[in-house]
Structures are given as C-alpha cells and as structure tokens.
C-alpha cells in the first residue's frame, strides 16, 4: 500500500488533475445493503436483499489485520451488509468498528486478507490536513461516489467555517463549501490544494431557493 505524499512533497503546487489522480486511491465507494421480507406470488415469505443507499469513504489507516475507513454514520446505519469498492473497481465486504451519530461519523474495516495484492499496491492512505488552517475563499476539492455512479471530482471554495445546521441528534460545526456535494458524496473527501484531507463531506441544502451550499465535517490534526 502506498502513502500519499504530504504538502511538502510532490503534491505541493499540484493542479486539480494531479490532486484527483493522487487522491482517488484513498477514496472508496460504500454500498449499504439490508434484507427485507417480501411476499411471493404464492403467498409465501422470502427474504430479498435491497440497497439502502450508496456513499463514500476514506482510507485513513491500517493495522496488522485490517484496513480502516472513515465515513458518515448515516451511510452505514441499519446495514446488514456493507460492500466497499476501491478505485480499481474491486469490491470486498466491510464491518462496522465504531460510530458516533452526534458527529455523523463511523469507522468501518476491511480484513487485509480479503484484499488482493494488486489492490493493496494501488490504494493509498489519506494524508490528514488541518481544517483550522483553512481560509474563507480558499479552493477545495470534493471526491466521492456521487449518485452511486462511482468516483467523481468537483471543486469550489471554502464559503464559511464553523457553520451549525439543524439536524436531529447532530452536534458539530461544519465547513461550508460551494463544491458540488450530491447524494453518494456523503463520507467522501474534502481536500485542500495540497491534496490533504481537511473535511468529510456530509450534507447539502436541497431547495429550489438554494444553490451551492454543502457541508463537511472538519478534520483536525
């Protein structure tokens, strides 16, 4: 597994194309599956797997046996099966290691023994930045599994910091950005122009009266 170069290495001064290429290996897609009981034509009951939703995740580390991925709690809640898809389009099952609904955060893990050697060689661990150093107006990049289509890249600026939103049970101050955040981007990466992870995309305002307001959970080193 590779480690992404820090801002003081080759990433510094990179444009969006280079940052995207260097960052996609640490962003994953997450499919949340559950099982429901349905009645068949003959009146019998059978179980049917259905997708509850699709989101994103970020590889943030590994230990001797597992790859650790951070995402949003709402991406993985009530799941019975979680599938993680890496940027090379290989997929493996994951398990939930811990959650914090008040921060809308969760950590899931993939056993290293389930990951092929080729995939291990191609994926990376994100370099953590510090959202405290972000400036309003600073350019940022969002990467995630928008609409469940696979990884996509958008860019924008930091519109504001320390924003609070009304969401039941949620307690966190967020980064506001006008980078496009769409369904499926939840749990994905918000990066500064050094390619460092400064936020975890979590929400947007959906209204015909509103345009270009998305939110990310800040990352503090």
């Amino acid at each position: 597994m590779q480690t992404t170069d820090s801002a003081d290495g080759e990433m510094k001064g990179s444009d969006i194309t280079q940052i995207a290429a260097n960052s996609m290996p640490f962003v994953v897609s997450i499919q949340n599956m559950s099982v429901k009981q349905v009645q068949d034509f003959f009146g019998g009951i059978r179980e049917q797997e259905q997708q509850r939703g699709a989101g994103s995740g970020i590889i943030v580390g590994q230990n001797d046996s597992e790859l650790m991925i951070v995402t949003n709690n709402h991406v993985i809640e009530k799941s019975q099966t979680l599938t993680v898809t890496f940027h090379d389009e290989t997929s493996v099952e994951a398990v939930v290691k811990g959650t914090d609904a008040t921060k809308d955060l969760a950590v899931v893990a993939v056993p290293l023994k389930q990951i092929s050697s080729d995939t291990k060689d191609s994926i990376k661990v994100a370099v953590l930045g510090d959202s405290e150093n972000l400036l309003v107006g600073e350019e940022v990049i969002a990467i995630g599994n928008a609409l469940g289509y696979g990884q996509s890249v958008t860019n924008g600026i930091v519109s504001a910091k320390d924003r609070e939103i009304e969401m039941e049970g949620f307690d966190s101050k967020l980064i506001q950005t006008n980078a496009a955040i769409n369904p499926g981007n939840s749990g994905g990466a918000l990066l500064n122009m050094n390619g460092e992870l400064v936020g975890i995309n979590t929400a947007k305002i959906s209204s015909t009266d509103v345009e270009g307001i998305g939110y990310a959970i800040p990352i503090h080193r």
Side-chain angles (χ1 to χ4, degrees):
M1 182 184 300
Q2 305 173 49
T3 300
T4 306
D5 293 321
S6 69
D8 294 326
E10 67 179 73
M11 291 293 293
K12 192 167 185 178
S14 296
D15 62 15
I16 293 173
T17 302
Q18 292 172 311
I19 292 173
N22 278 279
S23 302
M24 282 188 175
F26 60 70
V27 180
V28 303
S29 301
I30 299 177
Q31 289 77 43
N32 179 343
M33 307 295 292
S34 64
V35 175
K36 69 173 183 178
Q37 291 186 330
V38 296
Q39 189 173 38
D40 61 26
F41 180 77
F42 301 101
I45 301 296
R46 62 185 177 85
E47 290 188 339
Q48 178 177 294
E49 193 173 51
Q50 63 177 355
Q51 181 169 297
R52 290 185 56 86
S56 306
I58 306 157
I59 301 172
V60 292
Q62 74 170 76
N63 55 32
D64 292 339
S65 60
E66 296 174 316
L67 189 69
M68 311 305 293
I69 297 167
V70 67
T71 185
N72 288 144
N73 180 65
H74 76 261
V75 169
I76 57 87
E77 65 181 349
K78 298 181 181 179
S79 64
Q80 291 174 301
T81 303
L82 286 176
T83 302
V84 167
T85 302
F86 299 104
H87 79 113
D88 65 357
E89 299 186 356
T90 61
S91 299
V92 295
E93 286 194 13
V95 296
V96 178
K97 301 296 287 188
T99 63
D100 184 345
T102 64
K103 304 297 182 185
D104 196 21
L105 288 173
V107 175
V108 303
V110 174
L112 291 176
K113 63 183 180 182
Q114 291 186 11
I115 306 173
S116 71
S117 57
D118 287 343
T119 298
K120 287 178 183 177
D121 289 340
S122 68
I123 59 180
K124 295 182 178 181
V125 173
V127 170
L128 302 186
D130 192 340
S131 60
E132 289 292 315
N133 296 328
L134 286 175
L135 301 174
V136 173
E138 182 175 343
E139 191 170 8
V140 287
I141 299 167
I143 302 179
N145 180 27
L147 302 180
Y149 292 154
Q151 291 182 17
S152 63
V153 179
T154 60
N155 72 313
I157 62 169
V158 175
S159 302
K161 298 172 65 175
D162 298 326
R163 288 294 201 215
E164 297 184 35
I165 60 175
E166 293 184 6
M167 194 162 64
E168 184 178 355
F170 182 75
D171 179 25
S172 185
K173 293 184 177 180
L174 303 173
I175 302 164
Q176 180 185 327
T177 178
N178 68 343
I181 306 296
N182 293 295
N185 272 117
S186 293
L190 188 72
L191 308 169
N192 63 20
M193 293 306 290
N194 290 324
E196 298 170 328
L197 181 67
V198 291
I200 301 169
N201 300 319
T202 191
K204 65 174 291 186
I205 294 181
S206 297
S207 168
T208 56
D209 298 326
V210 177
E211 183 176 345
I213 297 183
Y215 299 99
I217 300 167
I219 296 289
H220 302 299
R221 267 198 300 211

